[in-house]
């Protein structure tokens, strides 16, 4: 994934590049690549880093990128499961 990235990103971002490129290679019908802003674990909340928040936008720089195959939505783990399902 690091060779595909348009800049020198952190390891998690490079991993997403690599995974997404692999999914393009195996010709999946669709890829769910949500925008995630907040993580929630009980009483603990944290914001996803700005690069993690914009994964769907970053992937546009990969050769073979196809907007029609990318399913993007906003997932917020502070919402109830029902609210996230409705967002999907």
């Amino acid at each position: 994934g690091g060779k595909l990235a348009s800049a020198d990103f952190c390891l998690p971002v490079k991993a997403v590049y690599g995974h997404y490129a692999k999914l393009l290679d195996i010709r999946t019908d669709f890829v769910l690549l949500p925008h995630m802003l907040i993580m929630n674990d009980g009483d603990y909340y944290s914001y996803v880093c700005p690069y993690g928040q914009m994964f769907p936008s970053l992937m546009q720089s990969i050769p073979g990128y196809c907007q029609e195959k990318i399913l993007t939505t906003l997932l917020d783990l502070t919402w109830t499961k029902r609210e996230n399902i409705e967002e999907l």
Side-chain angles (χ1 to χ4, degrees):
K3 293 178 183 176
L4 297 170
S6 56
D8 188 20
F9 293 110
C10 62
L11 183 59
V13 173
K14 291 176 184 177
V16 170
Y17 267 96
H19 289 299
Y20 177 70
K22 183 66 174 175
L23 290 171
L24 287 176
D25 285 345
I26 62 174
R27 301 186 185 274
T28 56
D29 292 331
F30 297 99
V31 176
L32 175 62
L33 194 58
H35 292 275
M36 295 188 69
L37 304 179
I38 302 174
M39 306 295 282
N40 177 17
D41 185 17
D43 292 331
Y44 177 76
Y45 295 88
S46 69
Y47 288 90
V48 175
C49 80
Y51 294 126
Q53 293 177 16
M54 55 188 248
F55 278 148
S57 300
L58 288 174
M59 297 305 107
Q60 294 178 17
S61 66
I62 292 181
Y65 174 83
C66 181
Q67 179 65 42
E68 292 78 30
K69 289 187 172 191
I70 305 301
L71 304 175
T72 62
T73 187
L74 173 62
L75 291 183
D76 186 330
L77 298 182
T78 63
W79 295 348
T80 65
K81 287 182 183 179
R82 181 181 181 102
E83 290 171 315
N84 275 307
I85 288 171
E86 289 174 1
E87 184 69 21
L88 289 171

